[in-house]
Amino acid sequence: MPRVTRGLVVIALAVGAMPRAAPNTIDALLDQYASGQFSEAVRAASATGDVGAFVKEFERAAPLWIEARPSDRQRRRLAVATFSLEVANARLVAWKTLRDLVEWSCRLLRQSDVPEPGEHAWQLASIAVAERVRDCHWAFDNCAAIVIGGVLVPSKETANHLRHGKGRFKDDARFRLAEAVLIHGWVEGEGGVAKFGVSLPAYKRYTNDKFAEKAVEEFGPLTVVPGIAGEAELHVAQLFLVVGGHEGALEHTRLALAKSGDPIVQYVAYVMSGRVLETMGRAPEAVAPYRAALGVWPGGQSATIKLASLETIAGHLDEAYALVERSLAARALDDPWRLFGYGDYVRYPGWIAELHRQIQP
Amino acid sequence: MRFGCAGLAALMTTAVLTLSGSPAAQDPQRPVFRAGTTAVTVNVSVKKGNTPVLGLTPADFRLFDNNVLQKVDDFSTDEVPIDSSLFLDTSGSTSGARDQMMGDLRAIVAMLRPVDRFRLLTIGHSVYQPIAWTPAGAHFEPELPPALSGISLIYDTLVMALLKRPEVDRRDLVLAFTDGVDVGSLVSAERLCEISARSEALLHVVVVDSIHAGKPQDAMAFSLPGQNPDHGLELLERAARTTGGEMHRGTFSYQDLVKTFAKVFDDFRLSYLLRYTPTGVAAGGWHQIKVETPKIRATIHARSGYFGTDEDR
């Protein structure tokens, strides 16, 4: 299709003008995506007015697009799955509809008896999005219950998505970490209590009294697993922080820093240290970890805001202005601290970048 | 020293800017303000009802710094170029109004004078600046972050907007359009108030009813208890008043933003600039500023004071 015509079709889809997307529209979007114009294609698709119609048409047209080039089937399959995941991530407000498309894409990838290149990153990225929206019922089979009126009621809507990744990549440490994060990510919310099989009021009492202890129990074994040890320590520190266990949080951030040289772990650990110290009334001591965080992740927004605030209060306005200027100039949008609260979502940009490299022609 | 914002006469300073008296190279009619550490420039809006009072002279003003009457060194009614930081809350609560938002942004930018500049700040998982500082009249095509629920970094965005380095011969205006429901900010509303007291910028907040406010339970685990107090709106208003600005209540119509900007921009443009060198007061700490127009019954808007440091003297 000529580029101009293709562009017009994409625009027509983008404004939601068509109640049912024409077949060649999905083709055009996938062509665009597979050619390396990832953000353009995702932006056009995610602007679609009728998400349900888009999903239905996509599931009909995408397999035909894959099979139109049998010699390129593997790459095209990964492109379809990654495109659908990116569209879902771009429209998190429509997740309840788009998660079905992600699950459909998961089945598409699992058609291959053994995982093809890219599936590992895809499975992790899709779980990360579930962690971002805290969709217990879709992702995690142990959460097969919901709370209605403070009472647990079995849920029928479990896709067990995490199990798919674990099944395809047995003993993979990252899936073990994701499982622990999923449990604790949800139990902090209003609805996520099923893991412990208690009513909501009882759960709240439980979290107050035993939460930090339980966190160590859940994450403890993972703090010695190569590759994820530092990150697991950081999750323990986070959970201590949430329940006010400041000394415990500081101790586990120190352990995280000692066990991992990963920039994400290092940055979050430094920011968390500073934040804990501020919460403890030791603001002057927080300056050093915030500065260390910016050394690891130049322009990092969360460290910038915290440090600039302290410098402002101390009367060092020139320093505060300079920090904010550097952060805005760096355009450091994927600030690890902002995303780490959503568990593995902090790794989502990296996994998507890896998938793009696999798809790029 | 903490301070009470609400009861103070609203004063506005561009605190550490000083008036050099030498003409601007590009415009001999316009005064040049030099960054310094001793002089204080106070931006004062004088209105009767909604109408700015024009034509006042230095003799019409009395200015107090910590209750000590000060001598006004310089006075200007010239139109100083304005840098406008426009903050549009693009969190999930506003996801249905983006086209209108962009249209109204263009309407706002069309009001700016050629000497003015603007930038756009929005919210995604972080604070975004889809449009960096841009001269009025220049083409812009911002790419907004996707709408998200469960995160709405209002206080963090305002801190980044307020901590803008004052520039020679320019004034700063921050206009925020938001539902006021903060979820997930790193700074508290109280800290925002403290920072607004130290900022050179004038802050106005347009608060609209939320369509779909972020739910605290969706927020990041790092949102600690007490981080986002229920009285956030009250503190937002306090932050605005501290700078000499106001909080405006609106409906969920972006026309409110255009109208409010037009009003705020005109008021700011037509305000008076008073410059004085503090005398008879200690250099450090909080300086409460009070401006009166003894011969004229009018409403005076400006910031409530400024923080001085010992190095200032």
Side-chain angles (χ1 to χ4, degrees):
Chain A
M1 180 182 290
R3 180 178 290 272
V4 172
T5 309
R6 192 169 61 190
L8 289 174
V9 171
V10 170
I11 290 167
L13 179 69
V15 298
M18 293 178 291
R20 175 185 159 88
N24 62 345
T25 302
I26 298 296
D27 283 0
L29 286 169
L30 289 170
D31 281 341
Q32 186 181 31
Y33 188 82
S35 73
Q37 297 179 59
F38 303 113
S39 58
E40 293 87 345
V42 170
R43 190 161 52 244
S46 61
T48 307
D50 187 338
V51 177
F54 172 79
V55 170
K56 193 174 174 185
E57 180 58 22
F58 189 86
E59 290 179 4
R60 189 199 65 76
L64 300 176
W65 180 82
I66 293 169
E67 294 306 323
R69 194 82 57 86
S71 62
D72 198 23
R73 183 182 294 127
Q74 182 178 310
R75 187 181 76 92
R76 286 190 160 216
R77 197 150 51 195
L78 187 62
V80 165
T82 307
F83 176 71
S84 68
L85 180 59
E86 285 208 76
V87 171
N89 181 61
R91 290 196 72 169
L92 291 177
V93 290
W95 169 252
K96 286 284 171 67
T97 303
L98 289 166
R99 68 181 181 181
D100 292 340
L101 181 61
V102 177
E103 194 55 42
W104 176 87
S105 299
C106 181
R107 286 196 296 274
L108 187 70
L109 291 176
R110 285 186 283 121
Q111 285 175 1
S112 167
D113 291 337
V114 293
E116 292 174 346
E119 187 183 335
H120 183 255
W122 189 93
Q123 291 288 356
L124 289 169
S126 62
I127 290 165
V129 176
E131 289 176 53
R132 167 59 184 86
V133 294
R134 300 194 168 170
D135 190 347
C136 170
H137 307 299
W138 180 74
F140 191 48
D141 53 359
N142 282 4
C143 288
I146 56 174
V147 177
I148 299 175
V151 177
L152 286 176
V153 176
S155 170
K156 295 176 181 174
E157 52 168 335
T158 54
N160 301 341
H161 182 66
L162 177 64
R163 195 168 61 187
H164 299 149
K166 287 175 68 180
R168 300 281 276 180
F169 302 95
K170 291 182 174 57
D171 300 322
D172 187 295
R174 285 227 65 94
F175 289 97
R176 291 176 63 191
L177 183 63
E179 184 169 17
V181 171
L182 282 163
I183 292 168
H184 287 287
W186 284 311
V187 294
E188 287 166 16
E190 285 289 319
V193 299
K195 163 70 179 172
F196 304 103
V198 293
S199 67
L200 186 58
Y203 168 71
K204 284 185 171 175
R205 285 195 297 277
Y206 172 84
T207 57
N208 289 338
D209 298 339
K210 298 285 187 183
F211 197 37
E213 187 182 313
K214 187 69 180 172
V216 175
E217 187 183 312
E218 289 282 344
F219 283 101
L222 303 179
T223 60
V224 295
V225 176
I228 61 167
E231 204 163 334
E233 292 284 6
L234 209 47
H235 283 292
V236 177
Q238 175 194 350
L239 292 162
F240 270 102
L241 174 58
V242 168
V243 298
H246 298 138
E247 293 293 350
L250 283 178
E251 173 60 19
H252 286 282
T253 56
R254 279 192 286 269
L255 289 169
L257 287 165
K259 291 182 181 181
S260 175
D262 176 74
I264 289 175
V265 173
Q266 294 259 319
Y267 179 82
V268 176
Y270 281 127
V271 174
M272 193 181 299
S273 300
R275 176 128 190 212
V276 173
L277 289 165
E278 278 197 86
T279 307
M280 296 169 78
R282 295 159 60 182
E285 294 174 60
V287 170
Y290 289 145
R291 288 198 186 285
L294 290 173
V296 174
W297 202 278
Q301 193 179 92
S302 50
T304 293
I305 288 173
K306 296 299 282 181
L307 183 56
S309 298
L310 290 176
E311 296 288 10
T312 301
I313 300 304
H316 307 144
L317 278 164
D318 277 343
E319 174 65 13
Y321 297 146
L323 285 163
V324 171
E325 285 164 5
R326 280 198 291 272
S327 181
L328 289 172
R331 296 175 60 83
L333 299 180
D334 296 321
D335 185 286
W337 168 272
R338 302 280 197 199
L339 302 182
F340 187 77
Y342 298 118
D344 291 296
Y345 197 65
V346 71
R347 303 274 178 196
Y348 176 84
W351 287 323
I352 288 296
E354 184 181 331
L355 288 162
H356 285 174
R357 284 192 292 275
Q358 298 270 356
I359 295 165
Q360 192 89 39
Chain B
M1 173 180 172
R2 292 188 63 82
F3 54 93
C5 308
L8 296 176
L11 285 175
M12 180 181 155
T13 82
T14 46
V16 293
L17 298 179
T18 65
L19 182 61
S20 75
S22 62
Q26 64 273 51
D27 183 355
Q29 299 303 311
R30 200 191 313 148
V32 175
F33 296 89
R34 298 293 182 205
T37 55
T38 57
V40 177
T41 302
V42 186
N43 196 323
V44 185
S45 161
V46 186
K47 293 166 74 177
K48 283 188 176 178
N50 285 323
T51 307
V53 178
L54 304 177
L56 300 182
T57 67
D60 292 315
F61 292 94
R62 290 210 305 169
L63 191 151
F64 298 86
D65 186 319
N66 278 345
N67 295 319
V68 177
L69 183 64
Q70 302 291 319
K71 175 179 176 290
V72 175
D73 299 328
D74 286 294
F75 174 91
S76 174
T77 56
D78 289 346
E79 294 184 0
V80 177
I82 294 173
D83 286 345
S84 299
S85 295
L86 305 169
F87 164 36
L88 301 184
D89 181 349
T90 48
S91 57
S93 54
T94 61
S95 58
R98 292 182 167 223
D99 288 345
Q100 189 176 351
M101 197 186 291
M102 285 301 100
D104 291 341
L105 175 64
R106 292 183 195 287
I108 286 171
V109 172
M111 294 178 207
L112 302 179
R113 303 160 301 175
V115 293
D116 298 324
R117 297 185 305 202
F118 75 101
R119 65 174 166 175
L120 176 64
L121 297 168
T122 61
I123 303 173
H125 280 114
S126 297
V127 178
Y128 282 61
Q129 185 179 254
I131 304 176
W133 287 112
T134 301
H139 175 76
F140 62 90
E141 205 62 56
E143 184 176 331
L144 298 181
L148 301 167
S149 62
I151 186 165
S152 190
L153 308 170
I154 296 167
Y155 306 150
D156 284 357
T157 307
L158 290 178
V159 164
M160 294 196 85
L162 290 168
L163 289 180
K164 187 249 180 191
R165 187 190 303 276
E167 291 185 40
V168 171
D169 204 16
R170 304 191 76 84
R171 288 189 285 173
D172 285 295
L173 170 66
V174 177
L175 182 67
F177 194 61
T178 173
D179 61 12
V181 181
D182 185 281
V183 182
S185 273
L186 283 155
V187 294
S188 64
E190 288 88 349
R191 179 52 58 90
L192 172 63
C193 280
E194 292 176 305
I195 288 170
S196 69
R198 291 157 170 86
S199 169
E200 309 288 329
L202 175 73
L203 169 64
H204 281 266
V205 180
V206 184
V207 174
V208 296
D209 294 332
S210 174
I211 290 176
H212 174 67
K215 294 177 293 182
Q217 63 265 32
D218 290 340
M220 291 180 290
F222 299 143
S223 295
L224 299 178
Q227 176 70 8
N228 299 301
D230 292 337
H231 59 300
L233 279 181
E234 184 186 322
L235 292 172
L236 260 185
E237 181 164 20
R238 181 190 294 183
R241 286 190 177 280
T242 301
T243 68
E246 292 178 63
M247 178 181 280
H248 311 263
R249 300 277 177 172
T251 59
F252 205 92
S253 158
Y254 277 81
Q255 283 304 313
D256 283 352
L257 179 62
V258 178
K259 288 177 187 168
T260 305
F261 181 83
K263 178 174 173 294
V264 166
F265 189 71
D266 268 354
D267 287 352
F268 197 37
R269 209 165 45 83
L270 298 173
S271 59
Y272 296 88
L273 289 167
L274 311 181
R275 178 242 183 192
Y276 72 98
T277 304
T279 53
V281 291
W286 172 248
H287 288 240
Q288 181 180 333
I289 301 179
K290 185 178 176 186
V291 174
E292 297 174 347
T293 51
K295 300 175 193 167
I296 300 155
R297 288 173 63 92
T299 304
I300 297 172
H301 283 279
R303 73 179 299 152
S304 50
Y306 67 97
F307 272 92
T309 60
D310 289 333
E311 294 114 43
D312 282 353
R313 309 306 289 274

